[in-house]
Amino acid sequence: MSRSLLHGMLWCCLLLLSGCGGSGSSTGLSVYITDAPIDSAIGANIGFTGVTVQGSGGVYAFQFSPVTPDLYQLQGGVEAFLIGDAQIPAGSYHAISLDMNAAPGTGASFLTLADGTLHQIYIPTGEPTRISVPIDFTLPTNGQVNITIDFDLRKSIIQDPNDPTKFILRPVLRAVNNDDQGTISGIVSASLISATTTCSPTVYVYRGDVTPTDVDVNAAPGTTQPVTSALVGLNDTTGAFNFTAAFLPPGAYTVAFTCEANLDFPDSAENIAFTSIKHVTVSRNGNSVVTLD
């Protein structure tokens, strides 16, 4: 069992003891966290202090002692509990919020770079620390719903322009119902990776049949942007370069490989090269396999 998953189970137990919910007929809601990773780090510990669920019948908050999971370990379909089997009334819900523990100067959230150094991640003073993500779902009476929140580190972390030893956190989240999602996995040809002297191998995933673009959180509304991304890693057993992009709503997607993800800064436009592009359809609870060559 991974350290992150074990910690997640412990947080779940604490929440069951300390969380508060509504009265009347209730149902179980579990909320998980996963990650779309970044290239420049080997760890990203982000602090959380609570989860809030908003619905037509009210707002239900679950507060807990600060926890700081390493989101970098939660990629490729791996996830961890934030709250488990929370008892709230049956009904319709439209948003889930995360309370962040990332105040400036506290070191409560931090990034571990490839050289092993730790760097503060912080939400600037005056910016919201409760981040809401829209998701419509219905909790049936005496039923169970599982929601996964994808914390997109690639879009969320920006180097502080005034202090390069620190990083600004502006969380970008998306949520998906675990009963209505699928996975894209596959192989990247070794020739694509060896075609450049330096390669930061990453797969970007987009909704629909589109022309791939870089990540730019400041892009105009309606501009094509990736839904998520996945790092490409060498499988020591098979010798293949594999990737997995998980927790995707069913539908059509464009999958694009680049060696230049390390040149893609989240708050500006870059002209990075995509050397293989494929189109694939994700089915509910299915795994769509693609070869990028």
Side-chain angles (χ1 to χ4, degrees), residues 6-54:
L6 177 60
H7 285 178
M9 294 173 66
L10 293 175
W11 307 333
C12 173
C13 294
L14 291 172
L15 285 164
L16 289 174
L17 293 173
S18 62
C20 59
S23 59
S25 62
S26 63
T27 185
L29 172 69
S30 294
V31 178
Y32 300 80
I33 192 77
T34 191
D35 160 45
I38 54 177
D39 312 276
S40 58
I42 58 174
N45 293 78
I46 307 295
F48 301 95
T49 60
V51 175
T52 301
V53 187
Q54 298 166 279

Side-chain angles (χ1 to χ4, degrees), residues 117-261:
T117 57
L118 302 182
H119 298 264
Q120 181 185 160
I121 306 171
Y122 71 95
I123 295 176
T125 301
E127 296 189 10
T129 58
R130 173 170 289 181
I131 312 299
S132 181
V133 55
I135 180 169
D136 293 317
F137 61 96
T138 300
L139 290 170
T141 301
N142 299 321
Q144 174 72 38
V145 171
N146 301 307
I147 302 296
T148 293
I149 296 177
D150 184 4
F151 198 117
D152 198 328
L153 293 178
R154 185 177 298 280
K155 298 177 181 177
S156 301
I157 296 178
I158 302 168
Q159 192 167 40
D160 188 332
N162 299 315
D163 185 349
T165 68
K166 299 178 182 178
F167 292 82
I168 296 171
L169 178 64
R170 292 192 170 98
V172 176
L173 312 175
R174 67 180 183 91
V176 62
N177 189 324
N178 284 13
D179 290 332
D180 192 29
Q181 55 84 31
T183 299
I184 299 173
S185 65
I187 296 174
V188 175
S189 171
S191 63
L192 293 178
I193 296 174
S194 62
T196 61
T197 55
T198 59
C199 183
S200 180
T202 307
V203 170
Y204 287 29
V205 179
Y206 307 79
R207 289 299 298 262
D209 184 349
V210 301
T211 300
T213 63
D214 71 315
V215 171
D216 182 5
V217 296
N218 295 318
T223 301
T224 297
Q225 285 287 284
V227 174
T228 190
S229 62
L231 299 184
V232 178
L234 177 63
N235 186 316
D236 292 331
T237 301
T238 65
F241 290 95
N242 298 124
F243 72 91
T244 299
F247 306 108
L248 297 167
Y253 288 86
T254 298
V255 183
F257 172 78
T258 181
C259 265
E260 298 181 346

Side-chain angles (χ1 to χ4, degrees), residues 69-94:
D70 182 359
L71 297 192
Y72 189 83
Q73 303 301 321
L74 304 178
Q75 54 180 295
V78 180
E79 58 183 1
F81 278 121
L82 280 182
I83 60 173
D85 198 26
Q87 298 300 297
I88 59 178
S92 298
Y93 292 83
H94 59 262

Side-chain angles (χ1 to χ4, degrees), residues 270-287:
E270 283 79 38
N271 186 25
I272 64 173
F274 294 95
T275 53
S276 182
I277 302 169
K278 296 289 180 70
H279 303 288
V280 64
T281 299
V282 171
S283 60
R284 184 174 181 266
N285 298 322
N287 178 33

